[in-house]
Amino acid sequence: MKQINITLYLAVTLLCVTFFSCTTSNQVELNQLKLWYDEPAEHFEQSLVLGNGKVGASVFGGVQSDKIYLNDATLWAGEPVDPNMNPDAHKSIPKVREALANEDYELADKLIRNVQGKFSESFAPLGTMHMDFNHKDSVSNYYRELNISNATSLTKYEVDGVRFEREYFISHPDQVMVIKLKANKNNALNFKVRFESLLKYDLTGNEDILRADGYAPYHAEPNYRGDMPNAVQFDENRGIRFSSYFKVKETDGEVFINDSILSVKDASEAVLLVSIATSFNGFDKDPVKEGKDNKAIAENQILKAEKKSFEEVRKSHITNHQTYFNRVELNLGAEDLTNIPTDERIKRYTAGAVDTDLEALYFQYGRYLLMAGSRTEGVPMNLQGIWNPYMRPPWSSNYTVNINVETNYWLAENTNLSEFHQPMLSWIKNVSKTGEVTAKTFLGVNGWTACHNSDIWAISNPVGDFGQGHPCWAAWFMGGAWLSTHLWEHYTFTQDQEYLKQVYPTIKGAAQFCLEWLVEGKNGNLMTSPGTSPENRFYTPDGYVASTLYGSTADLAMIRELFELTIKACNRLECDKDFKESLKTAHSRLQPYKVGSKGHLQEWFHDWEDVDKEHRHQTHLYGLFPGNHITTNDTVLANACRKTLEMRGPKGMGWSFGWRICLWSRLYDGENAHKVLQSLLRFVEPTGPHPDYSGGGGTYANLFSAAPPLQIDGNFSGAAGIAEMLLQSTEDEIRVIPAIPEAWSTGSFKGMCARGGFEIDASWKDKKLVELKVRSKVGKHCKLHFGDRIIDFDTKEGSEYSINSDFEVREL
């Protein structure tokens, strides 16, 4: 199906746009913040996603029948975990160390399998809502959109001269999904609402409410384990409960429920409310015996929303959304190509067309997804955000701690969405509790850590089903070190001293683990043994393909970063003097970085060859990004990082491309960063749930990141990479447009955040400053770099400053 007269239709639509809560007179036109298409979605990767930070919906915009996948961020397989699942695992660690000391890598790989526990659980699909229309004539003038500036979706089309329209959104203030359906002819709107789910459920209908109540499995095996007996296990007395309720209001038609189907007949308009709740009540609470009353919550939400008019609910939803979304604007001097459907724009871009507005849209779409998916305490976004139709989704749609869950939040602070970092920050505290048991029982030391995979139950053990997992991914123990940097990052942007006091024990616990985990190597330096470099492998001199080693560069990079920030935290809080000194001593003894024979940063202790020279992970570059301890001031290490990126080559996948954008940006190489961004935005056809790296990664029609399959961390790392190209900071200095390509030589941004408690606006032309504005939240000294110019000035708390093209500073 193709659209007719779309240009005329767009013109009419734009005349009807209403702005809510615009923060400035220069607000980017709403049509530039839309994804739009001239035919319905056929695949999940073409659907348009909505969310209120807990409930997610994937809207297909169908004509004969509109399919909407429903999710709840708190609906997972599983139940609270006993972290003491393998109490003798730590007894294998000395044996692994002995094998490594003897350079017996094959034995080390074998023995390390004893240090494994259960697999994580999976994020579950709630169900699918269908709205059946059964139009009898052909369809014309089809149009659907996602407006990320107000978090609404729209579907429009004509059948036999009748114009049908549906608007969808999920309200955070009212905690319901709302769909308004209209026809421009009396009695022309007729539809049926039905629900189905891959979970166990019952449907009932009374008091004009269609109720779906059910429960998730208490266990689901990862999809990569293939077909196996009892892969998904249900028990009516175990597992998270869910409720999904449907009610029609504000209609001039007849409403009735028959055979578990909600019907509307002979109407011209109707408003459908969808209310969703689960019994999840915390990572350590049994969802059956100690769970929330999901039925009462779902009922209460829908009855409260029913009392408000559609316009009231819509207005509060948009106001709430734009309070956060409108903080940041980005203009990259683009030609207006909004008259072209979004999927066609991605294809044109892939073929080499210039579309900097698509790049800016991708950035804002990342911010939109963060807001849509991350508002639930203790429940960060998973590998697919909060959108998933599969019972056994790719990689369990879990929290993959060796890169992915952290990547989801790289853009939270600097793109002015700090509040949406909170689900991740609060979940880290949960993981630290199970992580104390993991550190002691699996690895034999104090403090806490996390390993490769986790889930809503905050598991922290090395996964692998007690020996079935491959060491290249199962034997990774640095999760606590990496996760703790997020706690520090939140502090560096907010400068909230009380917050730092609250999270310091968690940071200290991760540092304590690393301090005790280090061993003295043959050369007298401190290093990890055993360790790995996430998911990569190396050849030993005798040709063995190995995973486990001593002196992993990636391990040491994370430990170095963690020790440095923990020392700073001790200084800020004036606490733990003895512990701080022990960290400083250990830091001074850490195995130094090594530059290999090819000029690259060595990934392994020895200068050995990678099995995959273009591997998607580049964790040994952690100190450059997301860490901060490798900078261009150290030309030797910076050049080694550059060489490593060159050797990794142009191939990659979603999140890996995004990470490389960040890495090239930290080297102030805007052209290479932009080349990788172009690879990230390469069009990929829908692929379904099964991993397929053969064609490379990119972007689906709905702007979701393709590994493939969907891994939403590519959206977030890509948006974070764009942010790094535009603005970089430490607590001591801020760099404006440090890594922009020639394609962005003229542009502007507003509302970006810098470490030290600053908010920055910038505009430039031909890479020359037009104007800067600086808002100081806490009154720290400000040191700005713009090209080769440095602007140094003191600020006052709550004050705003303007810097003109002559670099003159004026308080506003």
Side-chain angles (χ1 to χ4, degrees):
M1 178 194 313
K2 289 293 179 182
Q3 185 187 22
I4 299 175
N5 296 326
I6 187 63
T7 303
L8 175 61
Y9 172 68
L10 272 176
V12 173
T13 300
L14 290 174
L15 289 174
C16 299
V17 169
T18 301
F19 284 91
F20 290 86
S21 304
C22 292
T23 55
T24 75
S25 60
N26 294 322
Q27 177 74 17
V28 176
E29 292 295 329
L30 289 181
N31 65 315
Q32 292 182 291
L33 291 171
K34 289 181 180 178
L35 290 67
W36 76 268
Y37 308 84
D38 56 13
E39 57 186 8
E42 294 184 17
H43 304 277
F44 173 48
E45 298 90 345
Q46 297 167 330
S47 66
L48 299 177
V49 296
L50 300 166
N52 66 355
K54 181 176 183 288
V55 173
S58 307
V59 181
F60 281 65
V63 174
Q64 298 297 335
S65 181
D66 193 358
K67 178 168 62 178
I68 301 175
Y69 293 144
L70 299 174
N71 289 102
D72 187 297
T74 63
L75 186 61
W76 288 63
E79 54 197 354
V81 65
D82 178 6
N84 191 24
M85 65 187 74
N86 192 350
D88 293 329
H90 66 279
K91 295 179 181 178
S92 291
I93 295 297
K95 300 175 185 177
V96 178
R97 285 176 172 160
E98 182 180 6
L100 290 173
N102 294 329
E103 310 291 332
D104 191 340
Y105 296 95
E106 187 171 2
L107 178 59
D109 279 347
K110 180 180 178 181
L111 292 170
I112 199 67
R113 288 177 179 265
N114 296 323
V115 189
Q116 293 180 13
K118 71 182 291 291
F119 278 110
S120 73
E121 295 296 345
S122 299
F123 180 50
L126 187 144
T128 303
M129 175 177 68
H130 299 271
M131 292 187 292
D132 298 326
F133 299 94
N134 296 320
H135 298 300
K136 302 194 183 306
D137 294 310
S138 60
V139 175
S140 61
N141 291 338
Y142 182 90
Y143 174 87
R144 69 183 173 106
E145 72 173 29
L146 173 66
N147 187 330
I148 63 174
S149 73
N150 63 20
T152 64
S153 184
L154 187 68
T155 299
K156 292 186 178 185
Y157 54 87
E158 291 182 15
V159 177
D160 194 24
V162 180
R163 186 76 185 160
F164 293 91
E165 178 179 319
R166 300 191 290 274
E167 183 179 21
Y168 325 69
F169 60 87
I170 307 180
S171 167
H172 179 74
D174 289 292
Q175 291 294 305
V176 290
M177 182 176 184
V178 183
I179 306 171
K180 182 166 186 177
L181 304 94
K182 296 192 299 184
N184 67 350
K185 181 180 178 181
N186 291 338
N187 304 322
L189 181 62
N190 297 275
F191 65 95
K192 297 179 179 180
V193 177
R194 55 190 174 89
F195 174 86
E196 60 186 10
S197 177
L198 299 174
L199 308 183
K200 303 296 184 182
Y201 69 102
D202 294 312
L203 281 171
T204 58
N206 56 65
E207 300 174 3
D208 298 327
I209 299 177
L210 177 64
R211 295 174 174 84
D213 297 299
Y215 56 95
Y218 67 88
H219 177 65
E221 288 286 343
N223 72 319
Y224 49 79
R225 301 199 78 186
D227 295 331
M228 56 188 302
N230 301 314
V232 180
Q233 299 173 26
F234 289 94
D235 184 324
E236 62 181 357
N237 297 311
R238 300 169 72 179
I240 298 176
R241 273 46 194 156
F242 76 88
S243 295
S244 185
Y245 293 175
F246 308 85
K247 183 176 178 61
V248 172
K249 55 173 280 187
E250 294 183 34
T251 183
D252 54 356
E254 181 184 356
V255 181
F256 53 93
I257 298 175
N258 284 328
D259 298 323
S260 301
I261 294 176
L262 173 63
S263 299
V264 175
K265 182 180 179 182
D266 296 336
S268 63
E269 64 178 23
V271 174
L272 175 63
L273 301 179
V274 184
S275 176
I276 291 173
T278 79
S279 66
F280 178 76
N281 196 27
F283 78 102
D284 55 354
K285 300 288 193 304
D286 185 307
V288 178
K289 298 176 183 177
E290 304 170 276
K292 293 180 180 180
D293 188 340
N294 49 287
K295 295 181 180 180
I297 294 170
E299 184 107 358
N300 187 48
Q301 288 172 171
I302 208 166
L303 294 178
K304 280 187 174 181
E306 183 190 24
K307 295 176 182 177
K308 298 181 180 181
S309 71
F310 169 79
E311 291 302 331
E312 285 179 303
V313 176
R314 183 180 188 273
K315 183 176 181 180
S316 64
H317 158 70
I318 293 176
T319 299
N320 177 268
H321 175 77
Q322 293 189 341
T323 297
Y324 304 102
F325 186 84
N326 286 358
R327 288 173 176 175
V328 171
E329 299 174 17
L330 177 59
N331 186 332
L332 296 176
E335 176 187 359
D336 185 1
L337 297 174
T338 54
N339 63 326
I340 303 173
T342 303
D343 53 340
E344 295 301 322
R345 287 179 71 182
I346 303 170
K347 291 176 183 178
R348 290 176 75 257
Y349 185 91
T350 301
V354 175
D355 193 346
T356 56
D357 184 57
L358 180 64
E359 295 165 346
L361 177 64
Y362 191 84
F363 167 80
Q364 291 285 28
Y365 185 61
R367 296 182 68 245
Y368 166 82
L369 291 174
L370 182 65
M371 293 178 58
S374 186
R375 292 204 194 194
T376 305
E377 186 81 4
V379 187
M381 288 179 297
N382 58 62
L383 285 172
Q384 295 185 186
I386 58 169
W387 300 278
N388 166 46
Y390 308 114
M391 188 65 255
R392 296 172 69 194
W395 302 287
S396 301
S397 195
N398 64 13
Y399 303 139
T400 306
V401 185
N402 71 1
I403 173 64
N404 310 85
V405 71
E406 293 92 348
T407 302
N408 286 354
Y409 290 90
W410 280 353
L411 79 166
E413 300 294 340
N414 54 358
T415 71
N416 215 333
L417 294 174
S418 184
E419 297 89 342
F420 300 86
H421 205 171
Q422 188 56 39
M424 171 72 155
L425 303 178
S426 51
W427 174 78
I428 292 171
K429 184 176 181 180
N430 297 345
V431 177
S432 72
K433 293 179 180 178
T434 65
E436 290 179 0
V437 180
T438 291
K440 200 70 176 176
T441 59
F442 281 89
L443 303 172
V445 295
N446 295 304
W448 74 274
T449 196
C451 301
H452 180 228
N453 288 146
S454 189
D455 54 25
I456 199 170
W457 309 109
I459 75 161
S460 54
N461 57 276
V463 297
D465 196 15
F466 302 90
Q468 301 303 308
H470 197 288
C472 76
W473 48 263
W476 183 76
F477 313 124
M478 290 292 109
W482 196 334
L483 291 172
S484 294
T485 63
H486 280 257
L487 305 176
W488 176 252
E489 282 288 270
H490 183 68
Y491 165 73
T492 63
F493 279 91
T494 63
Q495 299 293 296
D496 185 341
Q497 199 81 353
E498 288 302 312
Y499 165 82
L500 183 59
K501 289 180 183 177
Q502 294 170 15
V503 300
Y504 172 74
T506 305
I507 295 173
K508 179 183 178 180
Q512 181 70 48
F513 166 81
C514 292
L515 192 63
E516 295 188 23
W517 182 242
L518 290 167
V519 298
E520 186 175 287
K522 298 174 183 177
N523 57 10
N525 293 322
L526 295 180
M527 60 187 67
T528 57
S529 178
T532 56
S533 192
E535 303 185 36
N536 203 0
R537 293 180 290 170
F538 58 94
Y539 290 109
T540 64
D542 60 3
Y544 174 69
V545 176
S547 300
T548 312
L549 76 156
Y550 56 82
S552 163
T553 301
D555 285 0
L556 292 166
M558 292 178 196
I559 292 173
R560 185 173 276 106
E561 188 79 15
L562 177 63
F563 282 4
E564 290 180 7
L565 70 86
T566 308
I567 290 167
K568 290 178 183 177
C570 290
N571 289 334
R572 301 289 170 88
L573 298 175
E574 298 181 344
C575 68
D576 271 342
K577 182 179 179 181
D578 291 343
F579 183 65
K580 179 182 72 173
E581 291 304 316
S582 66
L583 292 180
K584 291 171 71 173
T585 299
H587 183 276
S588 68
R589 295 185 59 203
L590 289 175
Q591 171 67 36
Y593 284 106
K594 294 181 178 181
V595 177
S597 59
K598 299 174 184 177
H600 63 293
L601 195 71
Q602 276 186 208
E603 187 166 2
W604 321 105
F605 182 82
H606 299 288
D607 193 6
W608 286 342
E609 291 292 324
D610 299 341
V611 172
D612 181 357
K613 294 179 173 58
E614 297 181 334
H615 198 265
R616 60 195 178 277
H617 286 262
Q618 47 261 325
T619 319
H620 53 310
L621 304 187
Y622 178 94
L624 181 62
F625 187 93
N628 297 284
H629 65 263
I630 295 179
T631 70
T632 55
N633 293 331
D634 187 332
T635 56
V636 173
L637 290 183
N639 288 337
C641 290
R642 172 180 291 276
K643 183 63 177 180
T644 301
L645 286 170
E646 292 171 350
M647 290 170 62
R648 278 297 198 254
K651 296 181 181 179
M653 53 191 294
W655 59 262
S656 182
F657 282 141
W659 195 354
R660 290 175 191 179
I661 297 169
C662 295
L663 290 163
W664 281 116
S665 297
R666 286 287 175 91
L667 295 172
Y668 308 141
D669 191 330
E671 296 304 326
N672 270 315
H674 192 237
K675 286 178 183 178
V676 181
L677 176 60
Q678 291 171 324
S679 297
L680 177 60
L681 276 166
R682 185 183 68 88
F683 183 79
V684 175
E685 295 285 357
T687 52
H690 302 295
D692 179 9
Y693 299 152
S694 61
T699 296
Y700 293 120
N702 64 356
L703 286 187
F704 264 169
S705 173
L710 161 65
Q711 278 189 267
I712 204 167
D713 36 49
N715 289 99
F716 297 125
S717 62
I722 293 171
E724 288 290 319
M725 295 166 76
L726 297 168
L727 187 73
Q728 295 179 26
S729 64
T730 66
E731 288 189 277
D732 300 318
E733 60 183 20
I734 301 166
R735 294 181 181 271
V736 182
I737 58 169
I740 62 168
E742 285 300 320
W744 300 358
S745 59
T746 296
S748 65
F749 65 77
K750 295 183 179 180
M752 297 279 282
C753 290
R755 294 170 181 84
F758 296 102
E759 190 175 304
I760 310 294
D761 302 343
S763 58
W764 62 95
K765 184 176 181 180
D766 298 327
K767 294 191 177 181
K768 295 180 180 179
L769 176 64
V770 175
E771 185 182 26
L772 286 173
K773 286 186 178 178
V774 178
R775 288 173 289 281
S776 178
K777 298 176 184 178
V778 295
K780 291 190 68 174
H781 182 79
C782 183
K783 183 179 180 181
L784 281 167
H785 294 254
F786 190 100
D788 59 359
R789 296 293 298 266
I790 299 176
I791 311 103
D792 241 325
F793 59 100
D794 291 322
T795 71
K796 293 183 291 188
E797 182 179 350
S799 295
E800 183 173 7
Y801 302 84
S802 174
I803 299 137
N804 63 21
S805 58
D806 294 322
F807 298 94
E808 297 168 333
V809 180
R810 177 172 60 93
E811 184 176 355
L812 300 176

